[in-house]
Amino acid sequence: MEQKEIELLKLLEKNGRMDNDTISKMLDVAPVEVEEMIKQLEKEHAILGYSTLVDWSNVYEYEGVAALIDVKVTPVRGVGFDKIASRIYRFPEVKAVYLMSGAYDLSVSVEGKTMMEVSRFVSDKLSTLDTVLSTTTHFILKKYKHDGIIFDEGDDDDKRIMVTP
């Protein structure tokens, strides 16, 4: 991969909404070249998608719960941890799954409407999988920084967004 492509990926990782003209000036290439690089990186699956980081604590009347779950599993001969990780990441509650070193094998990020909903996911779906040995659930109480973005305290009512049910 060329250096310009790596620089492009770093720019888009920080701000996926940056326009091609701005990127072209920063990389000192033509806007059409930026467009071609992006298309190629998407085709090669270096760019998998684009997302928005939302501070849900600033959305009025939004209640949601996030948790990180440590999971110990028995790896399957011939496929290791991949098979159980695949089963876990297919649940709609699961936002991310990571293979870890240390005291547990997988770290699973989940979201739900309530703590009870997340608890039921762990007890009814996750812990019942045949290769899962144990789980430890850590509920996220507050986000301070995520993907390099610092979350503001933002207690001003005028900063909040109203969500309609």
Side-chain angles (χ1 to χ4, degrees):
M1 187 170 286
E2 293 182 24
Q3 185 62 32
K4 292 286 185 188
E5 291 172 320
I6 292 170
E7 290 175 37
L8 171 62
L9 289 171
K10 288 181 179 182
L11 289 171
L12 289 175
E13 186 176 42
K14 287 183 183 175
N15 182 359
R17 292 186 56 159
M18 190 178 296
D19 64 87
N20 290 353
D21 288 334
T22 303
I23 295 170
S24 71
K25 290 174 187 167
M26 295 175 82
L27 297 180
D28 194 30
V29 297
V32 68
E33 191 175 342
V34 170
E35 187 175 334
E36 290 170 2
M37 282 193 292
I38 291 172
K39 284 181 184 175
Q40 185 61 32
L41 290 165
E42 289 172 341
K43 183 179 176 184
E44 294 170 354
H45 300 283
I47 297 174
L48 298 175
Y50 301 88
S51 62
T52 301
L53 181 59
V54 177
D55 184 352
W56 288 105
S57 68
N58 285 331
V59 179
Y60 184 69
E61 292 186 4
Y62 175 81
E63 295 293 328
V65 176
L68 299 174
I69 305 166
D70 303 339
V71 184
K72 285 186 182 182
V73 300
T74 303
V76 176
R77 186 180 303 271
V79 292
F81 297 99
D82 294 346
K83 185 175 180 181
I84 186 65
S86 174
R87 287 185 70 193
I88 292 170
Y89 67 59
R90 294 183 193 287
F91 289 114
E93 299 89 344
V94 174
K95 300 304 171 197
V97 178
Y98 304 98
L99 179 61
M100 306 297 290
S101 63
Y104 57 94
D105 303 307
L106 299 173
S107 180
V108 180
S109 173
V110 299
E111 291 180 0
K113 293 179 183 172
T114 64
M115 289 178 76
M116 184 57 72
E117 184 177 290
V118 172
S119 298
R120 282 194 186 116
F121 165 75
V122 174
S123 64
D124 297 348
K125 295 180 181 178
L126 185 60
S127 65
T128 60
L129 295 173
D130 54 353
T131 58
V132 171
L133 300 174
S134 67
T135 63
T136 304
T137 303
H138 308 274
F139 286 98
I140 297 172
L141 303 177
K142 182 176 181 178
K143 283 187 185 179
Y144 292 100
K145 186 175 182 178
H146 184 86
D147 285 343
I149 306 294
I150 297 171
F151 283 59
D152 193 5
E153 293 290 327
D155 288 336
D156 299 343
D157 287 337
D158 58 341
K159 285 185 174 181
R160 298 192 183 268
I161 301 166
M162 183 65 131
V163 175
T164 54

